[in-house]
Each structure stands twice: as structure tokens, then as C-alpha cells.
Amino acid sequence: MKFKEFFVKYHVYFYGAICLLANFLAVLSTSLTTFPMPNTAPMELWRDFMGRHELAINVLSLSAYIAPCVLCFLYAVRAVKFKKDDKRYIKIMVNIPMAFALLGIVGWILSFVFELAYLLYFNLVLGADVAFIVISSLVATIFVSLLAFTLIFFTLETLNRNVVLPAMYPDGNISQTERLSISSIKNLFLFYFFSACVFPAAFLGARLFFTRYYRIDFPKYYDICFAGILVAIGLVLTILIYGYFQRPLKKLKKSADEISRGNYDAKTLICSNDEMGVLGDSFNAMAKSLKEKEFMRDTFGKIVTPQIRDYLLTKNVALGGETLEVTVMFCDIRGFTTLSENMPPEKIVSLLNEYFTGLETCVVRHGGVINKYIGDAIMVLFGAPIPSATHALDAYRAALDMRAALVQMNKLWAERGLPEIRFGIGIHSGPVLAGNIGAANRMEYTVIGDTVNTASRIEGLCKTCQKDLLISESAAALIQAQEAAAALPALQFVADAEIRGRKEKVKVYTA
């Protein structure tokens, strides 16, 4: 078992050891900064009183170590009856640093309370002035408690955030756990202000009072030791608080960079229940939402073409439309009914998918939009939803590419024993109403008008004229008006065709 895994498994015991060590260091620091006692009669009586109650004094001193151990043990035992994913268990684990830090100084508070009781008894029995002793003891208790609390809380909080909680909860999401700590940003800086500014000032004020009132000369080493301890505390607090913000922000930046590169699976793990933890969980929720939206956008772009998708996603979702000059293409498979009768449905679907994929590549290459799949036929738009000045020429180029692509697909299908496919393409240019058509709660982007009907009828003429491509006179005129058409096969007149629903005949061309 690796040390990290071992530490996480038995972290409560390590935390307890850290509490003991912190209290020991606090005692060591206090011994270097204790106020010297004046040589007065009450002090001589107090020293004699303490000597006669040495056993009680020793028990009192041991309580500073025993009480925190017992209380911390009882706090940790509470977690045993809950499951790891239970909110109560999570609350206990998240709040261990604060709980251990508070319980770790209970002994010093109890020691002061017991000592105060002894002093009151000493005052009542002997009538001695104990003000100096009470103030000195109070200052020492505050100093040792503050130092022990600081060492315990920040050490355990750092280990909890960076080692224990990430290992126990790799998915995070513990920021909503009820907070029992000073780890909120506001309280953290208030504590820092008190520890690094208010308490040192109060301590120095007490020293000045003792110096003048009791005429005590402090040793030279006292100032050096006390200043060094305060500087060390301030430095440690500064580094730890700086780290509290630096590490999470680095994780956030790294994850943000991943998302900017399109990796929406990027997550940032900030295991805390302060504002940084909330920010981390919100960031992960945002990444998840972006992933879902990208998935829906990608899926939407497969149900409708990307151009129409982008058109609709720019809030063009109202019913109605606009009149545009476009070229409409219809492409239909010849003899599809007979083909489907001789093949299993699953093979028909597979063949159609390959066929439509090949045609879609040709259409997209020339700026076209497949607006509808109608069984084995497709309806393609050029010039909508994005207007184009070369929509007819683009349609003609796409038709030539589709013809070439079908030849290649038929070769591949022949090798696999599949039947040959033939199609007919009809192209017509003219005005249409392009926009969202349908009900208020269910609509589609499409085009309607005589141009659409005529294009469909021209595609139907391919059977009569025995051609795979027919182009109307209006579309042919637009194609021939483009200089780029000179590099393409010339259009050839086929016939004056009658179209159902039209009184006048329509000239059709092919290539």
C-alpha cells in the first residue's frame, strides 16, 4: 500500500498526532514568551501555594493534552455509523480540520478555568492580589490557544483539501455541505487580520501595562523570540492562505484551457465547502452543460443541416419567412420500389445511408443544403438560408459531382454483390418563401412556392426523357451567365416539356 493510500485510510490517527504536536509546539513557544513574574509578596504566596498543590497543578497541565485527545476521538467515532456517501459522513469529514482545531484547544481553556478557580480560592483565603496572575495567565492562554488552533486548523485543512478529500471523493461535489469552518474567504481574512495584527497589538499593550504598572524588566531575548514567533505565524498564514487561492485557480485555468480546446470532459477537482469549492462545482456543472449543449448542437446538425441549424440557433425561430431567389434540386432513385422488394429492409437502410452520405458530401462541397429526405429522394437548396449569387452554378456543379460519385459507389457495391443504383436530378431556379413553416410548437425550416413544385416536376421528367439530369431554362440561363461555367460541360437543349399544373411548356437542358 502506498503511503498516500495509507495516510488517507488512517488519516484520523494522523490528524490526532498533528493535534498533539501542534499543542507541544504551542507550549514550547509560550515558554519563550511568558511574562516574568514580579518579586512581590502575593507572588511569593502564590508560588508557595502552587508548591503545596503540585499534584493538582500537574493534573491540570495534563488536561491540556488528554481532553483534546478524548474529544477528537469521540468526534471521529461519530463517522463510523454512517456510509461514505451519506451527507452526515461527508459533513464530518469536511469539518474535521475545524472540529479538531476547536477541540484541540479545549484543554488550554479548561486549564485557564481551573487556574482561575484556584486563583479565586487563593484570593479569598489569603486575600492576596491576583490581578497580575490572572491577566498574565489569560494572555498566555490566548496566545497558546491561538497558536495551537492556527497550526492544527491550517495543517489539517491543507491535508484535507489536497490529499484526503480528493481521494475519498474524486468527483467532488461537496461544496454544498453545511459549513462549520472559518474557511469562507471573508472569515479567513478576518482570522488572518486578528492573528497577524489585533492579537500582537493587544499582547504588546499588555506587556507595556505590566512594564509600567509592576515595573518589570523583560529580558532582551523576550522581544526577539516574540517577534520571531509572530513573524513565523504571519508568514505561515500568508503562505497557506495564498495557497488556498493559487492551487484552485490553477486547476480552474487548466480546465478552462481544456474546454477552450473543445474537451468538455475536463473537470476541476476542488474539494472544499468554501467559495472556491462552490466555484469549482459550478465550473464542472458549466462544463457538463456545455457538453450537453454541444451534443445537442451536433445532433441537431445531423437532423437538419449545419447551415439551417446555425440559422435557427441565431434566434430565427419565429413562424414566417422571407422571399429569396434560390435554386431547388430534387434527386430521386430510379426503380427503388423494385429494388426494395428484392432486398431485406436492413440492407436497404444500409445502402441508402451510404448513398445519402455520398450525395451529401457533394452537396455540402458546393454550398448546398439538404432540406428534406423524402424516402429515397432528397430536396436540396442552394441560396438558402444563406443567400448566394451563384446558387444555380453551385447546383449544377453539385449535380455533376453527384453523378461522378454515384459511378464510384456503384463500382464498390458491385464488388459486394449489391445492385446498381440510378437516379434522376431536376434543377430549377426562381423565387421562394424561405422560413419556418408549421405549428407554433413544432416547425421546420423549408421553402415553398411554384419554384419547388416545378423542380420536383422536372425531376419526374427524367424518366420520360431518359436522362439522369434535367435543368430548367431559368436555371440554365443563370448558369450560363457565370464566367466560371465555361470550364464545365456545356448545357444541351433536350425538349420543350409539358409540366403538370403549368399551361406553358418548360425548356429543359442536360449535360
Side-chain angles (χ1 to χ4, degrees):
M1 182 184 295
K2 295 181 180 179
F3 177 74
K4 183 178 179 180
E5 296 175 354
F6 180 78
F7 182 87
V8 171
K9 185 175 182 180
Y10 300 103
H11 68 278
V12 174
Y13 301 103
F14 284 102
Y15 284 5
I18 290 172
C19 287
L20 288 175
L21 179 61
N23 277 294
F24 174 77
L25 293 175
V27 172
L28 182 63
S29 300
T30 306
S31 65
L32 299 175
T33 56
T34 303
F35 288 148
M37 297 296 180
N39 294 319
T40 60
M43 286 304 306
E44 292 296 331
L45 291 173
W46 174 244
R47 292 189 184 97
D48 180 64
F49 179 83
M50 290 180 65
R52 285 184 285 108
H53 298 81
E54 184 177 359
L55 178 62
I57 298 299
N58 290 333
V59 172
L60 188 66
S61 300
L62 286 175
S63 68
Y65 293 96
I66 297 174
C69 292
V70 173
L71 293 173
C72 289
F73 174 78
L74 293 176
Y75 179 86
V77 165
R78 291 173 54 208
V80 175
K81 57 184 178 180
F82 303 123
K83 294 182 179 180
K84 181 181 175 182
D85 295 329
D86 192 303
K87 291 183 178 179
R88 291 168 292 184
Y89 182 90
I90 297 174
K91 181 180 177 181
I92 292 173
M93 291 298 103
V94 169
N95 291 320
I96 270 186
M98 185 61 177
F100 274 37
L102 288 174
L103 297 175
I105 63 174
V106 166
W108 302 113
I109 298 173
L110 290 175
S111 295
F112 175 73
V113 172
F114 292 148
E115 185 176 2
L116 183 62
Y118 275 115
L119 286 170
L120 291 175
Y121 172 77
F122 176 68
N123 176 259
L124 291 174
V125 173
L126 301 177
D129 181 17
V130 295
F132 177 85
I133 303 173
V134 171
I135 295 174
S136 176
S137 179
L138 176 62
V139 172
T141 301
I142 293 175
F143 181 79
V144 72
S145 299
L146 179 65
L147 185 56
F149 178 90
T150 301
L151 291 173
I152 295 171
F153 174 75
F154 284 102
T155 303
L156 299 191
E157 184 76 0
T158 300
L159 291 171
N160 228 34
R161 288 177 180 229
N162 298 295
V163 181
V164 177
L165 292 179
M168 295 177 66
Y169 304 101
D171 294 328
N173 297 321
I174 63 173
S175 63
Q176 300 304 318
T177 304
E178 185 180 348
R179 181 179 294 144
L180 180 66
S181 69
I182 64 167
S183 58
S184 69
I185 293 175
K186 180 187 74 173
N187 293 338
L188 201 62
F189 279 101
L190 285 175
F191 178 78
Y192 179 81
F193 172 72
F194 178 81
S195 301
C197 181
V198 175
F199 178 74
F203 199 94
L204 292 175
R207 175 199 162 179
L208 181 62
F209 170 78
F210 290 145
T211 301
R212 293 186 176 181
Y213 189 83
Y214 291 99
R215 298 178 181 178
I216 300 175
D217 293 328
F218 286 86
K220 292 182 179 180
Y221 76 84
Y222 179 87
D223 290 337
I224 297 174
C225 291
F226 184 67
I229 292 173
L230 290 180
V231 170
I233 293 174
L235 179 61
V236 170
L237 284 177
T238 301
I239 293 173
L240 289 173
I241 294 176
Y242 167 73
Y244 280 4
F245 300 107
Q246 183 193 41
R247 284 188 290 269
L249 289 175
K250 282 185 175 180
K251 292 179 180 178
L252 282 172
K253 182 181 182 302
K254 183 178 179 181
S255 299
D257 290 340
E258 287 295 317
I259 288 179
S260 68
R261 288 192 286 268
N263 178 18
Y264 296 107
D265 290 320
K267 293 179 64 177
T268 181
L269 183 58
I270 302 176
C271 279
S272 65
N273 64 334
D274 60 1
E275 292 86 343
M276 295 305 295
V278 173
L279 179 61
D281 288 345
S282 298
F283 181 92
N284 291 335
M286 179 197 69
K288 182 180 179 181
S289 177
L290 287 173
K291 182 179 180 181
E292 291 174 351
K293 289 179 180 178
E294 184 63 22
F295 173 77
M296 289 187 290
R297 185 175 182 273
D298 184 56
T299 303
F300 189 28
K302 293 177 181 178
I303 296 173
V304 300
T305 58
Q307 295 93 327
I308 294 177
R309 174 199 65 196
D310 296 338
Y311 172 84
L312 295 175
L313 289 178
T314 53
K315 299 183 180 179
N316 295 308
V317 292
L319 287 172
E322 57 182 334
T323 300
L324 295 175
E325 287 289 333
V326 304
T327 295
V328 181
M329 171 196 290
F330 278 87
C331 179
D332 187 19
I333 295 178
R334 294 289 169 258
F336 181 72
T337 303
T338 303
L339 184 69
S340 59
E341 288 177 352
N342 300 320
M343 291 180 67
E346 59 273 13
K347 287 192 176 181
I348 286 291
V349 172
S350 177
L351 186 65
L352 281 177
N353 287 339
E354 288 186 52
Y355 168 75
F356 285 139
T357 300
L359 297 192
E360 194 260 354
T361 301
C362 300
V363 168
V364 171
R365 185 183 300 131
H366 297 286
V369 171
I370 297 181
N371 184 243
K372 285 185 178 69
Y373 290 94
I374 313 167
D376 62 310
I378 58 174
M379 173 182 165
V380 186
L381 304 179
F382 294 87
I386 302 173
S388 170
T390 59
H391 52 84
L393 182 62
D394 293 336
Y396 181 42
R397 284 173 166 165
L400 296 176
D401 274 5
M402 290 162 65
R403 178 190 280 171
L406 184 60
V407 171
Q408 294 300 318
M409 286 189 284
N410 276 321
K411 288 182 179 179
L412 294 175
W413 291 331
E415 294 174 358
R416 290 153 54 187
L418 297 173
E420 180 183 14
I421 285 181
R422 295 179 296 108
F423 62 34
I425 299 175
I427 296 175
H428 180 54
S429 300
V432 295
L433 179 66
N436 298 314
I437 309 298
N441 59 349
R442 186 174 179 84
M443 62 187 74
E444 69 171 347
Y445 179 87
T446 188
V447 295
I448 59 173
D450 181 65
T451 300
V452 179
N453 297 331
T454 301
S456 178
R457 301 285 188 269
I458 291 174
E459 183 275 321
L461 289 174
C462 289
K463 299 176 183 177
T464 305
C465 299
Q466 297 295 307
K467 299 292 183 183
D468 64 349
L469 171 61
L470 288 178
I471 302 172
S472 70
E473 183 178 13
S474 61
L478 291 173
I479 294 170
Q480 291 169 343
Q482 300 287 330
E483 293 182 4
L488 301 175
L491 296 178
Q492 300 173 4
F493 176 73
V494 176
D496 286 321
E498 291 184 358
I499 294 180
R500 182 164 52 88
R502 272 179 170 265
K503 294 181 181 180
E504 298 179 357
K505 293 183 178 181
V506 175
K507 296 182 183 295
V508 290
Y509 297 80
T510 189

